[in-house]
Structures are given as C-alpha cells and as structure tokens.
Amino acid sequence: MKKLSRDFYDRDTLEVSKDLLGKYLIHHTDGERLVAKIVEVEAYIGDIDKACHAYNNRVTNRTKVLYGSPGIAYVYLIYGMYYCFNVVTEKNGKAAAVLVRAIEPMEGIEKMVGNRYGKKLEEISKKQIINLTDGPGKLCIAMGITKDHNEMDLCGEKLYIAEAEEKIKHPIVTTTRINIDYAEEAIDFPWRYYIKDNPYVSKK
C-alpha cells in the first residue's frame, strides 16, 4: 500500500478530510500490523472554528502541534480516559487538523479485539465487532494509539495512512459535527464526513 505523502496533508483541511475516507490507517505495534479503513472524519480549523482547540490563535503545550508540519499526529485525551487521533493539515503556522472518528478493521482484527475487550475474536458478538472501532476513543484503544503517538510523523514507518489497494469511489455523507454544543455558530459547520451506509460510522 502506498503511503500518503506530506503533500497530501498540505492542502485545504476540508478537502483532506473527504479524501481521507477510504484510506487505510496502519499501525505497526508489538510485532503486528494493524490496518483499518477510515470511514468517518471531522475537520477542525483554528482560524474560524470555536470547536477547535486552537481557536483564536490559542497556543498551549497541547495545541502547539497543530501549528506544526502537515502530516503530524495530534493525539489528545478526552474525559480523562479516551484518546482521539487527529492528522495535522495545511501549512506550518496554521492550526488545522482532521479527527478520525471511525474506522473499519481490515487486518489484525484479533489484536484489535484483544486491545479493546481483552478477549479473543471468537469470544465476542457481532454487535461487539461493529462496536470495536465506531468512535474516536474506541478506535484508539483498538489500534493501540496513545499519547506516545502525539507529534509522531505520519510519513514515517510506524503509524501512517496509505492508499487503498484498489480505488473505490465511496458515496460521502456531509453533515454537522458531534458533541460540540459549546461551539456556538461552529455547531452548524458541515464539517463531518462519512462513507454512506458503512456500519462502523459512529452516528448515522
């Protein structure tokens, strides 16, 4: 699978968001390769977006990565217990990123199940398989993504995103983002995208 180049990320965030759908998130961990198709994303752009951690040019120890090179991972903690995986986009100095909200497991599912449930694949139900990666916190647990991956270069060899082996034009649904009730007018930005009818999407 062909790894995405830096130039892929160094573009308009909304375009990158849509183009990430159908791509493969790959993590080499504990001697295994975990592969999953990206099926749902959300865009965040600091200049105009009150839902973005870097809104109004806010720079903190947490948000500084958003101003860095495109193609860097931004991993943060929510509710004090769940990690969220984001891809930094656009040029250096502009705070923008894409949150990966849901993925469809493709390879290394046994390992993902062990990470998420502490069980073997044959011990879980069909509903638990769908529930495995249908949300940003869930997918990070399943894929073994933690704060240790924050600021990791996604053009490296450990954690990266690649083209699918066969290119399929997926029908895309565009809608508003989830769980940003505090973001005033940004609540209505249509910056969430997902592959239509994919069972792993977090919320239809």
Side-chain angles (χ1 to χ4, degrees), residues 29-48:
T29 176
D30 297 330
E32 295 190 49
R33 187 175 82 155
L34 308 183
V35 182
K37 181 192 294 184
I38 297 173
V39 301
E40 180 186 0
V41 297
E42 288 180 344
Y44 290 85
I45 303 173
D47 288 349
I48 58 173

Side-chain angles (χ1 to χ4, degrees), residues 176-193:
T176 53
R177 294 169 295 178
I178 297 172
N179 297 331
I180 56 165
D181 295 344
Y182 55 87
E184 299 180 0
E185 71 277 1
I187 293 173
D188 297 320
F189 292 178
W191 288 1
R192 175 176 169 243
Y193 310 97

